[in-house]
Amino acid sequence: MAGIASERGLAAYGAAKAALISLCQSINAEESSAGVTATAIAPGYVDTEMSAWVHDRIDPAEMIPPADIAELVLALAQLSARSVVPLIAMSRAGHTHWRA
């Protein structure tokens, strides 16, 4: 989500993620007619070791389960070559819309 919505302390990380989103869009613009597409999945905090640094302020039980991300990837892999999904933004439930 840091590539879409800024979060304090994550400027460089967010910039890198924004670049990946842009890369996916460019791949789609250049190669989707040949059946090559890319999707940027931009989730908020996912309950993994990478998010352990925020456990003091965000309960892991409130984070997105990794299985939810896997379900998205599986669904995307099953789409036909005629479909392009450039970006999926996924936030945690509650009042955190557009925030990690």
Side-chain angles (χ1 to χ4, degrees):
M1 188 65 78
I4 299 170
S6 299
E7 184 168 347
R8 185 179 179 148
L10 296 178
Y13 180 79
K17 295 304 175 186
L20 287 172
I21 291 168
S22 180
L23 176 62
C24 288
Q25 292 170 345
S26 295
I27 289 169
N28 290 328
E30 295 176 12
E31 301 297 333
S32 63
S33 62
V36 177
T37 64
T39 302
I41 299 175
Y45 287 110
V46 179
D47 185 17
T48 65
E49 289 181 21
M50 187 175 170
S51 62
W53 69 281
V54 294
H55 284 177
D56 61 327
R57 61 183 173 98
I58 301 172
D59 184 346
E62 296 176 3
M63 294 182 181
I64 298 168
D68 288 358
I69 307 301
E71 288 292 330
L72 283 175
V73 172
L74 180 60
L76 289 166
Q78 295 176 13
L79 294 176
S80 74
R82 296 183 310 270
S83 298
V84 177
V85 181
L87 172 66
I88 297 175
M90 185 178 197
S91 62
R92 294 179 293 123
H95 65 279
T96 60
H97 185 66
W98 291 114
R99 292 289 177 246

